[in-house]
Amino acid sequence: MMRLSPRAGLLIVTLLLPSMALADALTGTTERQPTNWPAILMFAAFVVATLGITRWAASRVKSASDFYTAGGGITGFQNGLAIAGDYMSAASFLGISAQIFSDGYDGLIYSTGFLVGWPIILFLLAERLRNLGRYTFADVVSFRFAQTPVRLFACFSTLAVVLFYLIAQMVGAGQLIKLLFGLSYGSAVAIVGVLMTCYVLFGGMVATTWVQIVKAVLLLGAATFMAISVLASFGFSPDALFARAIEVKAEMAAAAGATPGEAAQRGAAIVAPGGFIKDPVSAISFGLALMFGTAGLPHILMRFFTVPDAKAARKSVLWATGWIGYFYILTFIIGFGAIVMVGTNPAFLDPAGGLKGGGNMAAIHLASAIGGNLFLGFVSAVAFATILAVVAGLTLAGASAVSHDLYAMVIRKGAASSAEELRVSRRTVFVLALLAILLGIVFEKQNVAFMVSLAFALAASGNFPVLLLSVLWSGCTTRGVVAGGTIGVLTALVLTILSQTVWVSILGNAAPIFPYTSPTIFSMPLAFFTIWVVSLLDRSGRAAVDREGFVEQKVRSETGLGAAGASAH
C-alpha cells in the first residue's frame, strides 16, 4: 500500500481549501514513494476516457461560442453536476474529513462556509448572469458601462485569481503524481500541463464540462460508498456512530494521560462547538471569503453561460447546491467514521499514536480500512482527477479573459471575428499552460497555501462587489466600479502579504504587520464603500449614460429579452 509522507498528505488536503488551520501545509518537498499500481491503472483509465471525450468534443467546437460556453447547449442538470465537479474537491474531501477527525463538530465550519455561498448565487446572480452575459462575467459587469476600463479591470482580476489558484494546483498535482509514479517533480508538473492543454485546447468548454461531470460522479461515488460502509458498521444508526466516536476520543485522551474526568470531557467535546477558530475577526473574515468568494470565482461564474436560458441557470444552481450539500454531509460521516475505524486500528498509527502520514490522512486510511488497497487506489485516482478538472476550468477562464475581454473587446473594439477570437484563445491556452508549468516548478519548495486563500479573498473583494452593485444599483458608474474593484483587489493582496502566512512564514520577518489571517473583512467592505462613494461623486457625462442604462439592463436581466441563445449544432 502506498504511503504518503506527512508533508505530501498535508499538501493534497490544502490544494483548494483556503484554511487558516492548514495554512502551512504546502511546504517543502516530498520523497518518491513506492508506486501504487491500482491507483496508476485507474488514473490511466481516467486519462484515456477523458481524452476520448476530448476527441469527441473537438468535433463540436466550431466557433468561439462553442469553445467558451459549449454553445450554451448544456442542460441544467448537466451543468449543475459540472459546477459541483468544479467546486467539490479532493482537498475538501480529505481536509474536511481530517478536521472532523481531529476536532469533530468544529470541522463543519468548512462545510457550512463552502455551501452557504450558493444561495447568494441562486437568488441574486444566476438568472442575471445568464441573461446579461455571453462568455465571461465581464460581459455582465460592463453591460451599461464603458467597455475598456471595466474589461481591463475584469481581465486583471480574473488572471490574478486564476494564476494564484493555478500555481497551488500545479504544485499539488506535481507532488501527487510524483508520489504515485515515482517520477521527478518537473516531469510530473509537465504531465499535468500537457493533459490540461489537451483538454482545453481541443475540446474547449465541451470537454471541460464532461471531464468535470465524470470527476463529480467518481468523487460522489467514492464518498457515498465510504459513508454507507461506515454507517453499515453501526446498523445505519448515526447515534451509535457518534456515541462510539465519543468513547474512542475519551479512550485516546485517557491513554495520553488524562484523568477520567478530563478524558470524558475531551470525548464529549467532539460533538460540541469548541475553540477551533479562537480569533473572532479572523473567523468572520474567513467565513466572508468562503461565502462571497464563491460568487466571484471566474471559472464558476463562466459556467452559467453554458446553459440555454435563465431557467436552466437557476436549475443548475439548485442541482449544484444539492450535490455539494450532499457531499459535505458525507464528509461529516466519513470524519466520524475515521475516528472509530482508523483511530483504533494500530495498522494506521505511528509509534507516537498519531496517524501515519499525519492527521490529514484520515480519509485515505479509512478508504484502505473499508476497501483495501484497490479502493485506496481508486480514491487516489479520484484525487488526481479532481485536480485535472479544476485546472482545465481555470485555464479556460483565463484564456477567455485574454481573448474575449482584452483582445476582442478592448484591442479590437468588438470587431474581432469568431475565428480570430478562437485563435487568440487557443494561443493563450498554450501560454497559460507554459506559465503554469514554469511557476509550478519555481514554487516547488515554497509555501503556496496562501495563494488559495488569496484567490478567494481577491474574488470576494474585487469581483463580487463589482458584480453585485453593477446589476442591482442604478447609481453605479464606470468610475465607481473600476476604482472600487481595483482597491478591493489591491487591499486583499497587500494585507495577505503583510499577514503571518507571507510576512513571517515566507519572508522571514519577526512579526506580521497585519495580525489577522484573512483580509476579506476589511478589503470587501472597502470595495463596496469605494464603489458607492466614487459613484455618488461622479458627475461626468459617462456617469449619466451609466445611470440611464440601468433600466434597459434591468429589463434584460429579469426577462431575458435580447439575451444570447444557444448555438445550433
Side-chain angles (χ1 to χ4, degrees), residues 141-142 144-147 149-150 153 465-466 469-485 527 530-550 553:
V141 175
S142 65
R144 61 187 169 105
F145 300 139
Q147 295 292 304
V150 173
F153 160 74
V466 163
L469 292 184
S470 67
V471 299
L472 294 181
W473 183 34
S474 62
C476 196
T477 68
T478 298
R479 291 180 180 177
V481 161
V482 174
T530 303
I531 295 173
W532 176 66
V533 170
V534 174
S535 295
L536 285 180
L537 298 177
D538 191 355
R539 295 292 182 265
S540 65
R542 178 67 240 184
V545 175
D546 296 340
R547 296 184 181 104
E548 290 173 1
F550 180 76
Q553 175 185 277

Side-chain angles (χ1 to χ4, degrees), residues 16 38 44-45 68 144 161 297 302 360 362 387 399 427 438 487:
L16 287 177
Y68 294 138
R144 61 187 169 105
V161 173
L297 294 175
M302 193 177 182
N360 293 297
I387 298 171
R427 289 175 180 173
L438 290 175
I487 287 177

Side-chain angles (χ1 to χ4, degrees), residues 35 138 175 311 410 450 458:
T35 53
Q175 298 285 14
K311 179 181 179 180
V410 174
F450 77 94
L458 291 177

Side-chain angles (χ1 to χ4, degrees), residues 65-79:
S65 176
D66 297 332
F67 187 81
Y68 294 138
T69 63
I74 305 297
T75 68
F77 173 77
Q78 292 170 344
N79 196 46

